[in-house]
Amino acid sequence: GIQKLKVVRQRKIMNDQLKSLKKQESLKLAKGTVPRLTQVFPRPNIVGKTSGILEAHRNGLRFFSTKKSKVPIDILYKNIRHAFFQPCDAKEMIVALHFHLYDDIMVGKKKTKDVQFCMEVAELSQSLTKASRYGDPDEFEEERREREMRKKSNTAFQRFAKQVESQVNNMFEFDIPYKKLGFYGVPFK
């Protein structure tokens, strides 16, 4: 009884969200090799934390999962209001591309105007044990590998951002946030 009622309510909410979405034109796939980022995960998540591939096509971006979800995330270039490239530094463990959109899109079962595509550069669980092994030669080697991974990820994301900028004919460009101007907290609660 109650379970069926929940399912009916969820289905009604989902249908209402789908009706309120603005109809978008379809993505025009590019032939041949396209700029791509591998092993990225979207936020909001589709189904759990799913990694996949982000590709730049003629009139938009397409993310598709390498496993679970069969539905890709398509973002048209003309729907992008702001695009941000957030490189990872010594404090950040994630490199990200953030898109703020004019019109909502469905990502999984969520309606959203903000979509991020991220890559974890280092395991977040490893960063907790850093203070315990100070001065260990293995630790120095691990830090060097981490720096190389950060640099490699930053250049891959930056190259992708430049390739997308060259395709969009000045519709938008990727901004890099200034850390000094940032703040932490929840401003609208």
Coordinates of all heavy atoms in Angstrom, one line a residue, residues 36-82:
R36 N 38.5 14.3 -25.8 CA 37.8 13.5 -24.8 C 38.6 13.4 -23.5 O 39.9 13.6 -23.5 CB 37.6 12.0 -25.3 CG 38.8 11.2 -25.6 CD 38.5 9.8 -25.9 NE 37.4 9.6 -26.8 CZ 36.8 8.5 -27.1 NH1 37.3 7.4 -26.6 NH2 35.8 8.4 -27.9
L37 N 37.9 13.3 -22.4 CA 38.5 13.1 -21.1 C 38.0 11.7 -20.6 O 36.8 11.5 -20.7 CB 38.0 14.2 -20.1 CG 38.7 15.5 -20.2 CD1 38.0 16.5 -19.3 CD2 40.2 15.4 -19.9
T38 N 38.9 10.9 -20.1 CA 38.5 9.6 -19.6 C 38.6 9.6 -18.1 O 39.2 10.4 -17.5 CB 39.4 8.5 -20.2 OG1 40.8 8.8 -19.9 CG2 39.3 8.4 -21.7
Q39 N 37.9 8.6 -17.5 CA 37.9 8.4 -16.1 C 37.4 9.6 -15.3 O 38.0 9.9 -14.3 CB 39.3 7.9 -15.6 CG 39.7 6.6 -16.1 CD 41.1 6.3 -15.7 OE1 41.9 7.1 -15.2 NE2 41.5 5.0 -15.9
V40 N 36.4 10.3 -15.8 CA 35.8 11.4 -15.1 C 34.4 10.9 -14.5 O 33.8 10.0 -15.0 CB 35.6 12.6 -15.9 CG1 36.9 13.2 -16.4 CG2 34.7 12.3 -17.1
F41 N 34.0 11.5 -13.4 CA 32.7 11.2 -12.9 C 31.8 12.5 -12.8 O 32.4 13.6 -12.6 CB 32.7 10.5 -11.6 CG 33.4 11.2 -10.5 CD1 32.7 12.0 -9.6 CD2 34.8 11.2 -10.3 CE1 33.3 12.7 -8.6 CE2 35.4 11.8 -9.3 CZ 34.6 12.6 -8.4
P42 N 30.5 12.4 -13.1 CA 29.7 13.6 -13.1 C 29.1 13.9 -11.7 O 29.0 13.0 -10.8 CB 28.5 13.2 -14.0 CG 28.4 11.7 -13.8 CD 29.8 11.2 -13.5
R43 N 28.8 15.1 -11.5 CA 28.1 15.6 -10.3 C 27.0 16.4 -10.8 O 27.2 17.4 -11.5 CB 29.0 16.4 -9.3 CG 30.0 15.6 -8.6 CD 30.8 16.5 -7.7 NE 31.8 15.8 -7.0 CZ 32.7 16.5 -6.3 NH1 32.8 17.8 -6.3 NH2 33.7 15.8 -5.7
P44 N 25.7 16.2 -10.5 CA 25.2 15.1 -9.6 C 25.4 13.8 -10.3 O 25.5 13.7 -11.5 CB 23.7 15.5 -9.5 CG 23.4 16.4 -10.6 CD 24.7 17.1 -11.0
N45 N 25.5 12.7 -9.5 CA 25.8 11.4 -10.0 C 24.6 10.8 -10.7 O 23.4 11.2 -10.5 CB 26.1 10.4 -8.8 CG 27.4 10.8 -8.1 OD1 28.3 11.3 -8.8 ND2 27.4 10.6 -6.8
I46 N 24.8 10.0 -11.7 CA 23.8 9.3 -12.4 C 23.2 8.1 -11.6 O 22.1 8.2 -11.1 CB 24.3 8.7 -13.8 CG1 24.9 9.9 -14.6 CG2 23.1 8.1 -14.5 CD1 25.6 9.4 -15.9
V47 N 24.1 7.1 -11.4 CA 23.7 6.0 -10.5 C 25.0 5.7 -9.7 O 25.9 5.1 -10.2 CB 23.4 4.7 -11.4 CG1 23.0 3.6 -10.5 CG2 22.3 5.1 -12.4
G48 N 25.0 6.1 -8.5 CA 26.2 6.0 -7.6 C 27.3 6.8 -8.2 O 27.1 7.7 -9.0
K49 N 28.5 6.4 -7.8 CA 29.7 7.2 -8.3 C 30.2 6.4 -9.6 O 31.0 5.5 -9.5 CB 30.7 7.3 -7.2 CG 31.9 8.2 -7.6 CD 32.8 8.4 -6.4 CE 33.9 9.3 -6.7 NZ 34.8 9.5 -5.6
T50 N 29.8 6.9 -10.7 CA 30.1 6.2 -12.0 C 31.1 7.0 -12.8 O 30.9 8.2 -13.0 CB 28.8 6.1 -12.8 OG1 27.8 5.5 -12.0 CG2 29.0 5.3 -14.1
S51 N 32.1 6.3 -13.2 CA 33.1 7.0 -14.0 C 32.8 6.8 -15.5 O 32.0 5.8 -15.8 CB 34.5 6.6 -13.7 OG 34.7 5.2 -14.2
G52 N 33.3 7.6 -16.4 CA 33.0 7.5 -17.8 C 33.8 8.4 -18.6 O 34.9 8.9 -18.2
I53 N 33.3 8.7 -19.8 CA 34.1 9.5 -20.8 C 33.3 10.7 -21.2 O 32.1 10.7 -21.5 CB 34.4 8.6 -22.0 CG1 35.2 7.4 -21.6 CG2 35.1 9.4 -23.1 CD1 35.3 6.4 -22.7
L54 N 34.0 11.9 -21.2 CA 33.4 13.2 -21.6 C 34.0 13.5 -23.0 O 35.2 13.6 -23.1 CB 33.7 14.3 -20.6 CG 33.1 15.6 -20.9 CD1 31.6 15.6 -20.9 CD2 33.7 16.7 -20.0
E55 N 33.1 13.7 -24.0 CA 33.6 14.0 -25.3 C 33.0 15.3 -25.8 O 31.9 15.7 -25.5 CB 33.1 12.9 -26.3 CG 33.7 11.6 -26.1 CD 33.3 10.6 -27.1 OE1 32.2 10.7 -27.7 OE2 34.0 9.6 -27.3
A56 N 33.8 16.1 -26.6 CA 33.3 17.3 -27.2 C 33.0 17.0 -28.6 O 33.8 16.6 -29.4 CB 34.4 18.3 -27.1
H57 N 31.7 17.3 -29.0 CA 31.2 17.1 -30.3 C 30.9 18.4 -31.0 O 31.3 19.5 -30.5 CB 29.9 16.2 -30.3 CG 30.2 14.8 -29.9 ND1 30.8 13.9 -30.8 CD2 30.1 14.1 -28.7 CE1 31.0 12.7 -30.2 NE2 30.6 12.9 -28.9
R58 N 30.3 18.4 -32.2 CA 30.1 19.7 -32.9 C 29.3 20.7 -32.2 O 29.6 21.9 -32.3 CB 29.4 19.3 -34.3 CG 30.4 18.6 -35.2 CD 29.9 18.6 -36.6 NE 28.5 18.0 -36.7 CZ 28.0 17.5 -37.8 NH1 28.6 17.6 -38.9 NH2 26.8 17.0 -37.7
N59 N 28.2 20.4 -31.6 CA 27.4 21.4 -30.9 C 27.2 21.2 -29.4 O 26.3 21.8 -28.8 CB 26.0 21.5 -31.6 CG 25.1 20.3 -31.4 OD1 25.7 19.2 -31.2 ND2 23.8 20.4 -31.5
G60 N 28.0 20.3 -28.8 CA 27.8 20.1 -27.4 C 28.8 19.0 -26.9 O 29.6 18.4 -27.6
L61 N 28.6 18.7 -25.6 CA 29.4 17.7 -24.9 C 28.5 16.5 -24.6 O 27.3 16.7 -24.3 CB 29.9 18.3 -23.5 CG 30.8 19.6 -23.6 CD1 30.9 20.2 -22.2 CD2 32.1 19.2 -24.2
R62 N 29.1 15.4 -24.5 CA 28.4 14.1 -24.2 C 29.3 13.4 -23.2 O 30.4 13.1 -23.4 CB 28.1 13.3 -25.4 CG 27.6 11.9 -25.0 CD 27.1 11.1 -26.2 NE 25.7 11.6 -26.4 CZ 24.9 11.1 -27.3 NH1 25.3 10.2 -28.1 NH2 23.7 11.6 -27.5
F63 N 28.6 13.0 -22.1 CA 29.2 12.1 -21.1 C 28.5 10.8 -21.1 O 27.2 10.8 -21.1 CB 29.1 12.7 -19.7 CG 29.5 11.7 -18.6 CD1 30.9 11.6 -18.3 CD2 28.6 10.9 -18.0 CE1 31.3 10.6 -17.3 CE2 29.0 10.0 -17.0 CZ 30.3 9.8 -16.7
F64 N 29.2 9.7 -21.2 CA 28.6 8.4 -21.2 C 29.4 7.5 -20.2 O 30.6 7.6 -20.2 CB 28.4 7.7 -22.5 CG 29.6 7.6 -23.4 CD1 30.4 6.5 -23.3 CD2 30.0 8.6 -24.2 CE1 31.6 6.4 -24.0 CE2 31.2 8.5 -25.0 CZ 31.9 7.4 -24.9
S65 N 28.6 6.8 -19.5 CA 29.2 5.9 -18.5 C 29.9 4.7 -19.1 O 29.4 4.2 -20.1 CB 28.1 5.5 -17.5 OG 28.6 4.5 -16.6
T66 N 30.9 4.2 -18.5 CA 31.6 3.0 -19.0 C 30.9 1.7 -18.5 O 31.2 0.7 -19.0 CB 33.0 3.0 -18.6 OG1 33.2 3.2 -17.2 CG2 33.8 4.0 -19.4
K67 N 29.9 1.9 -17.6 CA 29.2 0.7 -17.2 C 27.8 0.8 -16.9 O 27.0 0.7 -17.8 CB 29.9 0.1 -15.9 CG 30.4 1.0 -14.9 CD 31.2 0.4 -13.8 CE 31.9 1.5 -13.1 NZ 32.8 1.2 -12.1
K68 N 27.3 1.3 -15.8 CA 25.9 1.1 -15.3 C 24.9 1.8 -16.2 O 24.1 1.2 -16.8 CB 25.8 1.6 -13.9 CG 26.6 0.8 -12.9 CD 26.5 1.4 -11.5 CE 27.4 0.7 -10.6 NZ 27.6 1.4 -9.3
S69 N 24.9 3.2 -16.2 CA 23.8 3.9 -16.9 C 24.0 3.9 -18.4 O 25.0 4.2 -18.9 CB 23.8 5.3 -16.4 OG 22.8 6.0 -17.0
K70 N 22.9 3.6 -19.1 CA 22.9 3.6 -20.6 C 22.6 5.0 -21.1 O 22.7 5.2 -22.3 CB 22.0 2.6 -21.1 CG 22.3 1.2 -20.6 CD 23.6 0.6 -21.2 CE 23.8 -0.8 -20.8 NZ 25.2 -1.0 -20.4
V71 N 22.0 5.9 -20.3 CA 21.6 7.2 -20.8 C 22.7 8.2 -20.6 O 23.2 8.4 -19.6 CB 20.4 7.7 -19.9 CG1 19.9 9.0 -20.4 CG2 19.2 6.7 -20.0
P72 N 23.2 8.8 -21.8 CA 24.3 9.8 -21.7 C 23.8 11.1 -21.2 O 22.6 11.4 -21.2 CB 24.7 9.9 -23.1 CG 23.5 9.6 -23.9 CD 22.7 8.6 -23.1
I73 N 24.7 11.9 -20.7 CA 24.4 13.3 -20.4 C 24.9 14.2 -21.5 O 26.0 14.2 -21.9 CB 25.1 13.7 -19.1 CG1 24.8 12.8 -17.9 CG2 24.9 15.2 -18.8 CD1 25.6 13.1 -16.7
D74 N 23.9 14.9 -22.2 CA 24.3 15.8 -23.3 C 24.1 17.2 -22.8 O 23.1 17.6 -22.3 CB 23.3 15.5 -24.5 CG 23.6 14.2 -25.1 OD1 24.7 13.6 -24.9 OD2 22.8 13.7 -25.9
I75 N 25.1 18.0 -23.1 CA 25.1 19.5 -22.7 C 25.4 20.2 -24.0 O 26.5 20.1 -24.6 CB 26.1 19.8 -21.6 CG1 25.9 19.0 -20.4 CG2 26.1 21.3 -21.4 CD1 26.9 19.2 -19.3
L76 N 24.5 21.0 -24.5 CA 24.7 21.8 -25.7 C 25.5 23.0 -25.4 O 25.3 23.6 -24.4 CB 23.4 22.2 -26.4 CG 22.5 21.0 -26.8 CD1 21.2 21.5 -27.4 CD2 23.2 20.1 -27.8
Y77 N 26.4 23.4 -26.3 CA 27.2 24.6 -26.1 C 26.4 25.8 -25.9 O 26.7 26.7 -25.0 CB 28.1 24.8 -27.3 CG 29.2 23.7 -27.4 CD1 29.6 23.3 -28.7 CD2 29.8 23.2 -26.4 CE1 30.6 22.4 -28.9 CE2 30.8 22.2 -26.5 CZ 31.2 21.8 -27.8 OH 32.1 20.8 -28.0
K78 N 25.2 26.0 -26.6 CA 24.5 27.2 -26.5 C 23.7 27.2 -25.2 O 23.1 28.3 -24.9 CB 23.6 27.4 -27.7 CG 22.5 26.4 -27.9 CD 21.7 26.7 -29.2 CE 20.5 25.8 -29.4 NZ 19.9 26.1 -30.6
N79 N 23.6 26.1 -24.5 CA 22.9 26.1 -23.1 C 23.9 26.4 -22.0 O 23.5 26.6 -20.9 CB 22.3 24.7 -22.9 CG 21.4 24.7 -21.7 OD1 20.9 25.7 -21.3 ND2 21.1 23.5 -21.2
I80 N 25.2 26.6 -22.3 CA 26.2 26.8 -21.2 C 26.3 28.3 -21.0 O 26.6 29.1 -21.9 CB 27.6 26.3 -21.6 CG1 27.5 24.7 -21.7 CG2 28.6 26.7 -20.6 CD1 28.7 24.1 -22.3
R81 N 26.0 28.7 -19.8 CA 26.0 30.1 -19.4 C 27.5 30.5 -18.9 O 28.1 31.4 -19.3 CB 25.1 30.5 -18.3 CG 25.1 31.9 -17.8 CD 24.1 32.2 -16.8 NE 22.8 32.3 -17.5 CZ 21.7 32.6 -16.9 NH1 21.7 32.9 -15.6 NH2 20.5 32.6 -17.5
H82 N 28.0 29.6 -18.0 CA 29.4 29.8 -17.5 C 30.1 28.5 -17.5 O 29.5 27.4 -17.2 CB 29.4 30.4 -16.1 CG 28.7 31.7 -15.9 ND1 29.1 32.8 -16.4 CD2 27.5 32.0 -15.3 CE1 28.3 33.8 -16.1 NE2 27.3 33.3 -15.4

